[in-house]
Amino acid sequence: MVACRSYCANYFLLVLISFCLLHFRDRISRETLTLTLTLPETNTTAVNDVKDDAEVVDRGAARSNYIIRFVEYKDAEDHRAYLQGKIELDGWEWIERRNPAAKFPTDFGVVAIDESARTSLIEQFERLELVKDVSADLSYSRSVLAKGAGRVGAFVNGKKRPGKIFSSMSYSEGEYYATDISNSTISWNRHLLMQRYQVTSFFGARGLWEKGYTGAKVKMAIFDTGIRANHPHFRNIKERTNWTNEDTLNDNLGHGTFVAGVIAGQYDECLGFAPDTEIYAFRVFTDAQVSYTSWFLDAFNYAIATNMDVLNLSIGGPDYLDLPFVEKIWELTANNIIMVSAIGNDGPLYGTLNNPADQSDVIGVGGIDYGDHIASFSSRGMSTWEIPHGYGRVKPDVVAYGKEIMGSSISANCKSLSGTSVASPVVAGVVCLLVSVIPESDRKKILNPASMKQALVEGAARLPDANMYEQGAGRVHLLESYEILKSYQPRASIFPSILDYTECPYSWPFCRQPLYAGAMPVIFNATILNGMGVLGYVESPPTWHPSDEEGNLLSIRFTYSEVIWPWTGYLALHMQIKEEATMFSGEIEGNVTVKIYSPPAQGEKNIRRSTCVLQLKLKVVPTPPRSKRVLWDQFHSIKYPPGYIPRDSLDVRNDILDWHGDHLHTNFHIMFNMLRDAGYYVETLGSPLTCFDARQYGTLLLVDLEDEYFEEEIQKLRDDVINTGLGLAVFAEWYNVDTMVKMRFFDDNTRSWWTPVTGGANIPALNDLLAPFGIAFGDKILNGDFSIDGEHSRYASGTDIIRFPAGGYVHAFPFLDSSESAATQSVLITSAMAKADSPILGLLELGEGRIAVYGDSNCLDSSHMVTNCYWLLRKILDFTSGNIKDSVLFSTSVRQAAALYQDDNQLPSRRTDVDFSAYSAVVGKELVCRNDSRFEVWGTKGYSLHVRGRSRRLPGYRAIDLGRGLNSTVETSNLKRPQWTQRNKDEHAANNFFGLLYSDEQLDMPVLVASHWLVPALIAVTGSFAFLKLLANSAEAAPA
């Protein structure tokens, strides 16, 4: 076995390294928050106190710490010797890491680099053959969300706290108090209070305890603040390890102790789920609640080396582009460690999922209260990291009780806490209990991150009043999951397994808007769970099987992961109704099937195969009239990460990043519901403006957009409005270069000042788009209250209109202009700031079309809305789509006799110190209609920009016969499928994990999002096999 492991690792290591370096090195984006505060040597000194910006800059001016990742595992000394032998420049020093992982091979090193030599040294390091990449040793910082203290995240009063950007801490401490229990009245005393908060009783854990299942022989890794050795609430603390720079193993904060208590506590008043679970306490946070990426990487490597079964991680943030961290999570789960993580405490806002819980290989946990309602603090989906590539996925995976949960305290009493980092250990405890159900000899054959997630989501109890992006599969049901695991056979499945347009609210937003002919494709992005193996393949393209003839009216194309690793992949359905169904009204039912296969498991000869089924029940209506169809521009929206994209309202000082997705179904979900209630049908355009047929839509809706525009888009939109009668509604935002500069903050991770790459919206780009109509926005930042026809609204950090044609209707109000204020992230009203009438709303008829522009979008965004302006949006759409003119908006008193006009040199200018191409889908990119546009223009430049009949084909896209139009049959991905090579039966299954690379097979990148996970996944797997190799070598060298 050892020899086989060594052979496997050596062989595939060479293949994968050469393949990845030749083909993928330049593809892997490092557009992350990188670089950090100088890290003292482990276990030697305390973390420095947080100082002001000037002191931070001075303290780190000389030297900063960086992580150098290698393509293989070796002893740290070997890595150091390699670097010292290859790097000729001075100005760097190897940092020795003294922690429990030091006795194992590692895939990274930490070096201190002089700031003066940083650029040249990093370039030299990254040119080395065995170096994967160089990134900063990010610092992590989190704070207790104490009751009454308000949210504490990465920013406080507009100033950035030290560390990586994280959202608020995932727990808050509660007091004992009485609440109602469904239709019963209870006299509350302390004894009954303890029963009320005994969370294990709500899941029926005692039923499994009585069967003898108590978590025995399950290795549970708790990554938190530590635990004391002799705590009486725990009977099985196997190991405590410290990964911080503080010389203690104890928990001085109480969070790690509480989490351990929920999982494995034995004290009667706050019982855990699996009291016999073996606790391995990883102290990864200091008493100041600070950690570093290098600490996590070492601790994760140690968890892999010591064969942990389950790992709980109750941290999270919006930065899903922190590749060293994300890829190590992939490697961790690929080594069959089941990770459970809190989904975040940024609810009730949508689009606020935290990483790593938003990763498909991690069990992401949301929180509910004892009334089975989604907790207000629990973050909502969808997964925003996939939105630029089509559509997000369902997260959280499951929810569990996370409000006023009883757990262990440092003082050996019980206390109550709330938050998703409380719900996470509830599920981790359930997982430990379920793992112990499987005989120890069979666990690794049956249990893995995918099979456990299958048991949880298939056994979950769906909540009646929440949608899939709030609850995932529903509330964890321990006993149902137990029944599933008892008879489990390795298989693949799809989650969610049903999309039912008739089931509201669970299927929101799909159930809120039926399908119809001529619409943009509706994308449903599901997750493939492969319980058969860490690596799997799609054997043949997915297939649509309608249940009757009416099902043939549906056309589906698929994009999907042909390579499924680790344990999971995606299946995206792009659904259109064919044009012959223009008048059809009814339901379409059927199944989508996809066949998955995996290499034989150890000791098996045959390939594992499974057929996944996704049930569809879709509602179809006749195509709505043009005046009721609105098209939402998603393509020109940019969010954090990768760049500093600022919040729209400058009044918001503790959440200054725009990271919620800016999607109809995330932070604009309330607006979406309002438009549907008003009778509008809202579709999403995820491609350039050349990729939609303006004759089909009443209004194009542009809200809070940050990207640039292709020249072809500007030309087409002019023609669409003037000649085709398209309505245009624009909701802009603030833009002021001086204010952006003042908004800078020093990021101790990048060792540099961060300034916004644009304003709340990209006004210079919008002005280019609107120039053919004689309209332009200015650079004022306006704030104030106003009223139109009895409707009151707040103008929150909006801009003004400085160009507008004569004959249009312009509304102006006396607002405060704070653009010249010296305040950063706060608006201070002083007598020096005079209020003057500023134009903010303009309405215009031009040619066949109609245009409305408004300088603020905060009133549509549910993230930090002060007052909504849905009333105004309805009146605007009535005008732009139906030429219905509100008597107040079109009063003769606001009609412009002369044009508003300012010279070009008065228009807001672009920043010249920002490389916008790093964040843009336009600058430096080729115009192409993507997979979220109509089928007939996929891969083309769009309508009116290609030869009719046979479209202009771009590299990598098939030619599409436009003569078929909406009648195109089911189309599937045409990616090349790797051929399976049968190996010798005596070889370990690991030899077959990368069968696609045995011959000259070329690895194809799945179309939708796989390029964002597959490449680093392959590289991460390299480290896994190298790690196995060195472990094997160590075993050979060890004395008998």
Side-chain angles (χ1 to χ4, degrees):
M1 180 63 67
V2 171
C4 181
R5 278 184 177 178
S6 180
Y7 165 78
C8 166
N10 280 316
Y11 183 82
F12 287 106
L13 182 60
L14 292 173
V15 175
L16 285 173
I17 290 174
S18 59
F19 182 81
C20 294
L21 288 177
L22 286 173
H23 294 279
F24 296 137
R25 186 178 181 93
D26 292 335
R27 284 194 179 190
I28 300 178
S29 168
R30 292 193 301 275
E31 297 171 322
T32 65
L33 294 185
T34 54
L35 318 186
T36 187
L37 291 165
T38 301
L39 173 65
E41 290 187 347
T42 305
N43 295 329
T44 57
T45 60
V47 173
N48 294 326
D49 292 334
V50 177
K51 305 294 183 182
D52 61 29
D53 289 338
E55 290 175 306
V56 171
V57 175
D58 181 69
R59 182 178 61 189
R63 178 165 286 192
S64 299
N65 286 11
Y66 292 80
I67 293 172
I68 297 180
R69 293 196 296 166
F70 299 95
V71 297
E72 60 184 352
Y73 278 82
K74 286 186 177 181
D75 290 338
E77 286 299 312
D78 293 337
H79 286 313
R80 178 169 68 172
Y82 173 74
L83 294 181
Q84 289 175 338
K86 296 290 185 178
I87 301 298
E88 299 177 354
L89 293 177
D90 295 326
W92 69 280
E93 180 184 3
W94 179 271
I95 303 297
E96 183 178 358
R97 310 192 306 280
R98 303 189 187 104
N99 57 47
K103 61 185 177 183
F104 293 101
T106 183
D107 61 338
F108 76 98
V110 179
V111 298
I113 298 178
D114 292 344
E115 290 300 309
S116 60
R118 179 180 64 181
T119 302
S120 55
L121 276 170
I122 290 177
E123 289 178 353
Q124 280 208 12
F125 283 129
E126 292 190 325
R127 282 199 295 264
L128 296 179
E129 182 180 6
L130 298 183
V131 170
K132 187 197 304 191
D133 58 31
V134 180
S135 59
D137 192 6
L138 298 178
S139 61
Y140 296 69
S141 181
R142 63 186 212 176
S143 294
V144 176
L145 182 61
K147 187 175 181 180
R151 291 187 179 275
V152 180
F155 298 90
V156 178
N157 293 324
K159 294 183 178 180
K160 184 180 179 297
R161 303 172 65 245
K164 180 181 174 181
I165 293 179
F166 265 77
S167 25
S168 57
M169 182 67 169
S170 295
Y171 75 98
S172 58
E173 189 159 355
E175 300 174 357
Y176 298 135
Y177 60 93
T179 56
D180 294 333
I181 303 181
S182 62
N183 302 323
S184 62
T185 302
I186 298 178
S187 175
W188 290 94
N189 56 38
R190 182 169 177 78
H191 177 68
L192 289 178
L193 186 64
M194 293 303 101
Q195 289 184 343
R196 173 69 181 90
Y197 287 87
Q198 196 66 268
V199 67
T200 55
S201 63
F202 288 86
F203 292 92
R206 188 168 298 279
L208 293 187
W209 297 342
E210 292 172 351
K211 296 178 184 292
Y213 305 124
T214 57
K217 302 291 182 69
V218 178
K219 302 173 76 171
M220 176 72 225
I222 300 174
F223 278 55
D224 218 286
T225 58
I227 192 172
R228 84 173 199 242
N230 58 348
H231 198 294
H233 286 195
F234 307 102
R235 67 172 64 133
N236 206 1
I237 300 177
K238 283 291 187 180
E239 185 180 40
R240 299 181 305 146
T241 52
N242 177 36
W243 306 89
T244 74
N245 55 7
E246 295 178 337
D247 190 17
T248 181
L249 291 164
N250 292 328
D251 178 12
N252 297 317
L253 294 174
H255 193 259
T257 302
F258 184 90
V259 167
V262 173
I263 295 171
Q266 63 172 340
Y267 187 54
D268 287 342
E269 291 190 345
C270 46
L271 280 171
F273 282 87
D276 286 321
T277 287
E278 299 175 3
I279 297 175
Y280 291 79
F282 290 69
R283 189 176 187 270
V284 292
F285 278 96
T286 67
D287 290 344
Q289 301 185 71
V290 172
S291 187
Y292 287 84
T293 296
S294 60
W295 297 355
F296 272 99
L297 298 184
D298 272 331
F300 285 147
N301 280 344
Y302 187 74
I304 295 171
T306 53
N307 297 311
M308 293 294 110
D309 295 312
V310 187
L311 190 152
N312 183 81
L313 190 62
S314 291
I315 66 165
D319 189 4
Y320 49 76
L321 290 180
D322 180 7
L323 288 184
F325 188 89
V326 170
E327 290 181 15
K328 187 57 69 173
I329 299 295
W330 288 334
E331 185 181 346
L332 191 93
T333 59
N335 279 274
N336 211 9
I337 296 176
I338 301 169
M339 174 173 278
V340 183
S341 186
I343 205 67
N345 260 24
D346 295 289
L349 306 180
Y350 279 64
T352 56
L353 301 177
N354 284 200
N355 181 270
D358 64 346
Q359 295 181 209
S360 59
D361 54 323
V362 175
I363 298 171
V365 182
I368 58 175
D369 60 23
Y370 284 113
D372 279 354
H373 301 113
I374 303 297
S376 60
F377 53 75
S378 187
S379 290
R380 272 71 164 169
M382 64 184 78
S383 57
T384 58
W385 60 270
E386 291 176 289
I387 288 178
H389 313 285
Y391 199 78
R393 271 186 273 185
V394 173
K395 279 279 184 170
D397 296 298
V398 290
V399 291
Y401 298 116
K403 193 169 184 180
E404 301 157 10
I405 303 299
M406 295 300 297
S408 301
S409 68
I410 298 175
S411 60
N413 292 314
C414 297
K415 67 177 181 180
S416 166
L417 293 181
S418 298
T420 53
S421 75
V422 173
S424 180
V426 167
V427 174
V430 166
V431 168
C432 287
L433 199 51
L434 291 173
V435 170
S436 68
V437 166
I438 306 300
E440 191 176 5
S441 59
D442 296 331
R443 285 179 188 171
K444 293 301 181 181
K445 300 176 184 178
I446 295 176
L447 295 179
N448 55 60
S451 63
M452 182 57 70
K453 185 179 287 193
Q454 287 171 329
L456 292 176
V457 300
E458 292 170 15
R462 186 175 296 177
L463 306 181
D465 300 322
N467 65 57
M468 64 177 74
Y469 298 111
E470 295 175 309
Q471 65 170 309
R475 185 190 67 242
V476 166
H477 196 305
L478 172 62
L479 299 183
E480 286 294 329
S481 297
Y482 161 71
E483 293 296 330
I484 291 171
L485 281 180
K486 274 201 314 181
S487 57
Y488 182 84
Q489 295 296 319
R491 55 183 169 81
S493 62
I494 295 175
F495 170 69
S497 60
I498 301 174
L499 176 60
D500 187 348
Y501 270 52
T502 67
E503 187 177 18
C504 261
Y506 183 76
S507 293
W508 181 94
F510 303 97
C511 63
R512 286 288 275 139
Q513 180 165 301
L515 300 174
Y516 48 87
M520 287 290 168
V522 171
I523 303 175
F524 180 63
N525 195 5
T527 298
I528 299 173
L529 300 173
N530 181 23
M532 300 183 296
V534 64
L535 181 68
Y537 305 99
V538 173
E539 185 169 3
S540 56
T543 307
W544 161 236
H545 306 277
S547 59
D548 52 37
E549 282 298 315
E550 292 176 340
N552 292 319
L553 297 175
L554 174 67
S555 180
I556 307 181
R557 291 188 181 181
F558 303 95
T559 48
Y560 52 90
S561 312
E562 284 214 348
V563 179
I564 300 169
W565 185 94
W567 309 104
T568 62
Y570 74 90
L571 171 64
L573 281 63
H574 306 250
M575 299 179 289
Q576 285 185 187
I577 299 299
K578 298 178 181 179
E579 62 182 7
E580 58 260 38
T582 300
M583 301 304 298
F584 176 76
S585 180
E587 294 178 357
I588 290 177
E589 296 186 57
N591 296 327
V592 169
T593 61
V594 58
K595 296 180 179 179
I596 309 297
Y597 71 94
S598 284
Q602 183 175 358
E604 295 181 352
K605 298 180 180 179
N606 297 324
I607 297 170
R608 290 182 166 186
R609 284 188 167 86
S610 183
T611 300
C612 303
V613 178
L614 171 60
Q615 300 177 40
L616 298 182
K617 186 175 183 181
L618 312 176
K619 187 176 181 181
V620 183
V621 296
T623 301
R626 180 187 186 187
S627 62
K628 288 298 182 182
R629 294 177 63 181
V630 176
L631 187 63
W632 169 272
D633 180 4
Q634 186 67 38
F635 177 75
H636 295 94
S637 176
I638 306 176
K639 67 182 187 64
Y640 171 86
Y644 178 4
I645 308 297
R647 240 314 139 221
D648 300 324
S649 173
L650 298 184
D651 289 326
V652 179
R653 294 176 291 174
N654 293 339
D655 188 14
I656 73 170
L657 296 175
D658 191 356
W659 63 282
H660 298 169
D662 283 349
H663 193 279
L664 280 171
H665 303 151
T666 58
N667 48 311
F668 288 96
H669 70 284
I670 298 177
M671 183 198 74
F672 168 76
N673 287 337
M674 180 279 298
L675 290 176
R676 289 296 301 124
D677 291 338
Y680 287 99
Y681 292 80
V682 193
E683 302 170 32
T684 301
L685 176 65
S687 290
L689 300 181
T690 60
C691 302
F692 77 98
D693 184 353
R695 297 168 298 178
Q696 307 301 318
Y697 299 94
T699 297
L700 173 65
L701 183 55
L702 311 181
V703 180
D704 183 25
L705 299 178
E706 296 88 4
D707 212 337
E708 296 286 331
Y709 298 89
F710 292 104
E711 184 61 33
E712 295 92 331
E713 294 182 281
I714 297 173
Q715 295 173 6
K716 178 178 179 292
L717 183 62
R718 177 189 180 280
D719 181 68
D720 287 342
V721 172
I722 296 176
N723 299 322
T724 311
L726 176 70
L728 178 63
V730 179
F731 285 73
E733 265 302 337
W734 68 271
Y735 183 96
N736 183 276
V737 173
D738 290 337
T739 299
M740 283 185 260
V741 172
K742 293 172 185 176
M743 288 175 63
R744 70 176 188 166
F745 64 82
F746 184 79
D747 180 52
D748 47 332
N749 283 317
T750 61
R751 308 303 308 159
S752 62
W753 289 97
W754 269 45
T755 57
V757 300
T758 185
N762 189 341
I763 294 302
L766 273 176
N767 285 347
D768 286 349
L769 186 69
L770 298 173
F773 312 119
I775 299 173
F777 291 105
D779 64 355
K780 288 183 179 180
I781 301 179
L782 303 174
N783 293 272
D785 298 307
F786 71 99
S787 177
I788 297 179
D789 196 22
E791 296 283 359
H792 299 276
S793 285
R794 172 75 177 176
Y795 207 69
S797 305
T799 190
D800 60 329
I801 300 171
I802 61 174
R803 282 185 181 176
F804 207 79
Y809 297 79
V810 176
H811 295 258
F813 297 91
F815 287 151
L816 173 74
D817 177 10
S818 61
S819 60
E820 298 302 321
S821 170
T824 299
Q825 292 295 323
S826 64
V827 179
L828 303 177
I829 300 177
T830 69
S831 58
M833 297 179 181
K835 293 184 178 181
D837 279 357
S838 297
I840 63 169
L841 172 63
L843 304 109
L844 176 70
E845 291 183 274
L846 191 63
E848 298 293 323
R850 292 161 294 278
I851 301 173
V853 295
Y854 184 68
D856 185 24
S857 68
N858 184 261
C859 56
L860 301 178
D861 185 341
S862 58
S863 291
H864 299 287
M865 182 187 295
V866 179
T867 59
N868 76 68
C869 60
Y870 299 143
W871 61 271
L872 178 60
L873 176 60
R874 285 194 295 268
K875 291 178 184 292
I876 285 175
L877 292 179
D878 286 344
F879 167 61
T880 57
S881 290
N883 200 20
I884 300 172
K885 299 178 181 178
D886 179 81
S887 60
V888 175
L889 293 185
F890 289 87
S891 169
T892 56
S893 63
V894 295
R895 192 171 189 271
Q896 293 295 112
L900 290 176
Y901 185 82
Q902 289 192 14
D903 292 335
D904 289 348
N905 59 8
Q906 298 297 313
L907 296 178
S909 58
R910 291 174 173 82
R911 298 195 59 178
T912 59
D913 57 337
V914 172
D915 180 12
F916 202 72
S917 63
Y919 320 106
S920 173
V922 175
V923 179
K925 312 302 190 300
E926 185 175 8
L927 189 155
V928 62
C929 298
R930 307 192 300 185
N931 298 339
D932 44 19
S933 53
R934 295 281 303 172
F935 294 168
E936 61 262 29
V937 294
W938 278 22
T940 75
K941 286 186 176 293
Y943 294 91
S944 302
L945 296 174
H946 56 257
V947 179
R948 294 290 179 179
R950 194 74 179 172
S951 67
R952 178 181 181 273
R953 186 160 61 95
L954 298 177
Y957 290 86
R958 290 168 302 174
I960 301 169
D961 187 353
L962 296 182
R964 299 174 61 187
L966 303 181
N967 291 311
S968 56
T969 57
V970 176
E971 298 286 350
T972 61
S973 170
N974 65 338
L975 297 179
K976 185 178 179 182
R977 179 167 58 90
Q979 299 296 315
W980 178 252
T981 304
Q982 183 66 46
R983 306 301 294 174
N984 186 289
K985 66 179 180 180
D986 295 327
E987 293 183 3
H988 190 280
N991 289 14
N992 295 324
F993 276 178
F994 284 85
L996 76 165
L997 297 178
Y998 275 128
S999 60
D1000 59 353
E1001 296 280 342
Q1002 181 179 357
L1003 179 63
D1004 292 303
M1005 305 300 290
V1007 175
L1008 188 59
V1009 298
S1011 62
H1012 290 257
W1013 63 263
L1014 180 57
V1015 177
L1018 289 171
I1019 299 173
V1021 172
T1022 304
S1024 300
F1025 285 125
F1027 191 33
L1028 289 174
K1029 178 193 72 173
L1030 285 178
L1031 287 178
N1033 291 342
S1034 299
E1036 290 175 344

